[in-house]
Amino acid sequence: MTIRQAQNTKQDCDLVFSLSNDPLVRACSFNTKPIEYVQHCKWFAKTVSDVNTFFLLIFDNKSFVGQIRFKRESEQSTECVISLSITKEYRGKHIAGNFLQLGIEELKKNWYNIKTVVAEVKDENSASKALFLRKGFELISKVNTYKMDII
């Protein structure tokens, strides 16, 4: 698998749009409504250029596997929130752990001051809950917020 930062291109925007509107991704999101393309393109351009968002795309050869985003409050923050999703073609192939690890390794190379990664997971999203626990995150609230210190 290879990883790179998302770029403000139509190709990257369309890859993320397709993934974001996948029925399972929508069901696992806190906002379950389908995303309109025009709004997505505006959000994507803003997000890719935001210095407080680290937006990564993961590929297997040339096939798009998924996306990982890290969002912090400011450049001085020591904590960030993670969001990730994997394409339908790669779900169930036991790659989520490697996918998550790749993202965190890139995060540590680029945002040196981040000490904690927080994942907010819907209660019914058992796959994500299991992934974060398996990768060393700990449940810190009854609303399914997990965190992991990365130092």
Side-chain angles (χ1 to χ4, degrees), residues 97-114:
N98 290 340
F99 185 90
L100 178 58
Q101 185 175 334
L102 271 174
I104 290 175
E105 287 171 7
E106 285 299 309
L107 172 72
K108 289 163 65 173
K109 290 177 194 173
N110 288 273
W111 285 359
Y112 306 106
N113 57 324
I114 295 294

Side-chain angles (χ1 to χ4, degrees), residues 41-94:
C41 291
K42 289 177 186 175
W43 168 87
F44 187 82
K46 180 181 174 187
T47 302
V48 168
S49 64
D50 181 4
V51 297
N52 292 311
T53 302
F54 189 50
F55 197 159
L56 300 167
L57 303 181
I58 297 181
F59 296 85
D60 178 22
N61 294 317
K62 292 184 180 186
S63 299
F64 179 52
V65 175
Q67 64 88 28
I68 298 180
R69 282 189 327 274
F70 298 94
K71 178 76 174 157
R72 62 188 177 189
E73 290 294 319
S74 72
E75 292 182 59
Q76 292 74 39
S77 297
T78 60
E79 181 175 287
C80 65
V81 176
I82 187 174
S83 171
L84 64 88
S85 47
I86 298 174
T87 62
K88 182 174 153 182
E89 296 78 20
Y90 284 88
R91 290 181 206 136
K93 297 186 185 277
H94 307 287

Side-chain angles (χ1 to χ4, degrees), residues 2 50 95 102 144:
T2 59
D50 181 4
I95 63 160
L102 271 174
N144 296 316

